[in-house]
Structure formats: structure tokens, C-alpha cells
């Protein structure tokens, strides 16, 4: 059993592993479009594979680009071993090459129901940082909202409203954990084109 860095040779097997296990921990950056754009040699996605009998049994993949680096951190795309063995997780973590000096933290999301996995990663030096919630409205009509006189809710106009949006977001959320770094106009523009963002 050994740990290797991801190469083009293993890329499709890596993607297959991600598709198989992405819903067990956190699928935030493991959508199909993320898989399509994945570039193992860009330096932005350091990825390590735990191999046994020429088969991937674990993955540690980081994100070192854009907004995360601006926040002096790296986001874990995937940290998973199909064995669930702490030693195997530790082998992947130990394989990490030194991160850039300006990276101060490494973060990952775990569902609160994964108590055993949380305890395991905490034993490796990770600390609890924050809880994020997702609100879901199932089979309910969209509510009608009454705004005060003079206020309306309008769609963001690409090429027109990015600066205003960035200003509002950066002012209102500058003390929110995980959002301290300002959002650039380029990132706002990228979000408006994201197929996962609801239109209008």
C-alpha cells in the first residue's frame, strides 16, 4: 500500500472514485463540471491517491486557487478512504507536500451526522470552525414578499451590477466566518454564469 500524486494516467480512476463517494462527506466541489475542468498539473489541485493492489482506496484532494487562497487557506475537495481506517487517512495527510507559506488553514466540510469521521479528523489536528445550514423548501410555492415602499427585488444584470453586488456582499458579510476576504468583481461575474445558480 502506498500514496502517490495524481497524474493523467490515474485521472479517470480518480474521477470514478469521486463519483462513487462524493455524497458520503461533501460534494460541494465534486459536480460533473468540476470533474471536467480538473487539471492535475495546474498546481491548483494537489491530489494524492492511496493505492492498494493497483486500486485507489483513498483520496486527498485540495484546492489552491482563487477565493480560497485570498483567504489564506486551502479547501479540501475530498478526503476519504473507503476502508474508514484512521491509519489510511493519516497516510494521505502525511503525503502532503509543504503548502505555500501564505496558506494558514486547511478546511473541509463534514455533515454533523458523521460523528466518527469528525472525531477521527479532529484527532489528526483539525478543529471545529463553524456550522453551515442548508434550507430546503419541498413542494411549496414560492412565498410572496412585500417590500417597503421604494424597494424592489430585481435580477442582477451581467456586465452592469457586479460592482454593486460585490460592494454589498463585502460590506454586509465581512465579519462572517469563511467570508472575510472580499469577493472580487471577477468572481461575481463567474457566479452569474454558474449553471448551479438559480436564474433570475
Amino acid at each position: 500500500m502506498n500514496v502517490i500524486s495524481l497524474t493523467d494516467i490515474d485521472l479517470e480512476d480518480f474521477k470514478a472514485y469521486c463519483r462513487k463517494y462524493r455524497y458520503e462527506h461533501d460534494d460541494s466541489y465534486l459536480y460533473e463540471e468540476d470533474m471536467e475542468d480538473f487539471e492535475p498539473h495546474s498546481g491548483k489541485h494537489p491530489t494524492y491517491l492511496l493505492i492498494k493492489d493497483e486500486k485507489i482506496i483513498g483520496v486527498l484532494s485540495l484546492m489552491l486557487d482563487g477565493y480560497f487562497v485570498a483567504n489564506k487557506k486551502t479547501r479540501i475537495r475530498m478526503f476519504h478512504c473507503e476502508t474508514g481506517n484512521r491509519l489510511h487517512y493519516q497516510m494521505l495527510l502525511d503525503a502532503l507536500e509543504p503548502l505555500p507559506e501564505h496558506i494558514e488553514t486547511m478546511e473541509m466540510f463534514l455533515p454533523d451526522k458523521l460523528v466518527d469521521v469528525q472525531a477521527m479528523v479532529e484527532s489528526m489536528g483539525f478543529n471545529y470552525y463553524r456550522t453551515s445550514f442548508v434550507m430546503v423548501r419541498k413542494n411549496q410555492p414560492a412565498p410572496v414578499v412585500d417590500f417597503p415602499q421604494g424597494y424592489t427585488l430585481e435580477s442582477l444584470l451581467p456586465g452592469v451590477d457586479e460592482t454593486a453586488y460585490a460592494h454589498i456582499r463585502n460590506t454586509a458579510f465581512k465579519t462572517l466566518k469563511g467570508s472575510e476576504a472580499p469577493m472580487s468583481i471577477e468572481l461575481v461575474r463567474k457566479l452569474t454564469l454558474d449553471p448551479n445558480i438559480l436564474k433570475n
Side-chain angles (χ1 to χ4, degrees):
M1 186 179 309
N2 63 312
V3 178
I4 64 172
S5 294
L6 176 66
T7 66
D8 288 328
I9 296 172
D10 306 298
L11 184 57
E12 291 309 315
D13 289 338
F14 161 74
K15 291 180 180 181
Y17 188 95
C18 290
R19 291 184 183 106
K20 183 176 181 180
Y21 293 111
R22 60 186 166 191
Y23 299 115
E24 289 195 12
H25 289 182
D26 172 27
D27 66 333
S28 300
Y29 295 95
L30 293 168
Y31 301 119
E32 285 305 311
E33 54 267 29
D34 297 314
M35 295 290 93
E36 290 174 11
D37 296 338
F38 196 89
E39 298 176 4
H41 302 295
S42 67
K44 297 180 179 180
H45 310 286
T47 298
Y48 304 88
L49 310 176
L50 181 62
I51 306 293
K52 181 179 180 181
D53 299 328
E54 300 183 2
K55 178 179 177 288
I56 298 174
I57 64 167
V59 165
L60 172 59
S61 183
L62 307 180
M63 301 173 68
L64 280 173
D65 58 348
Y67 188 74
F68 301 110
V69 173
N71 267 306
K72 299 181 179 180
K73 63 186 178 183
T74 179
R75 171 73 152 79
I76 293 178
R77 180 189 301 273
M78 186 175 219
F79 188 25
H80 180 275
C81 292
E82 61 184 18
T83 62
N85 187 314
R86 184 194 184 284
L87 176 61
H88 295 164
Y89 278 88
Q90 190 66 56
M91 288 175 67
L92 285 166
L93 205 55
D94 290 344
L96 268 180
E97 296 179 9
L99 296 172
E101 289 185 7
H102 62 281
I103 299 297
E104 298 176 355
T105 61
M106 182 164 57
E107 297 182 351
M108 66 184 297
F109 282 105
L110 284 173
D112 56 6
K113 64 183 179 182
L114 298 180
V115 178
D116 292 342
V117 179
Q118 288 182 358
M120 180 174 60
V121 297
E122 285 177 1
S123 75
M124 297 176 182
F126 287 83
N127 299 307
Y128 168 79
Y129 180 57
R130 66 180 170 126
T131 299
S132 296
F133 296 94
V134 176
M135 294 185 292
V136 179
R137 185 180 72 240
K138 294 183 178 179
N139 302 319
Q140 297 292 324
V144 177
V145 180
D146 291 324
F147 291 99
Q149 186 174 0
Y151 290 85
T152 59
L153 186 64
E154 299 179 5
S155 300
L156 184 149
L157 296 176
V160 178
D161 295 329
E162 287 93 341
T163 300
Y165 182 94
H167 171 72
I168 294 169
R169 184 268 180 205
N170 294 335
T171 302
F173 296 99
K174 64 183 177 183
T175 60
L176 179 68
K177 284 186 176 182
S179 300
E180 298 90 349
M183 180 179 283
S184 67
I185 294 172
E186 290 73 22
L187 182 54
V188 176
R189 191 169 294 123
K190 181 179 178 181
L191 289 174
T192 63
L193 301 174
D194 190 327
N196 294 304
I197 299 296
L198 296 176
K199 299 304 177 188
N200 301 319

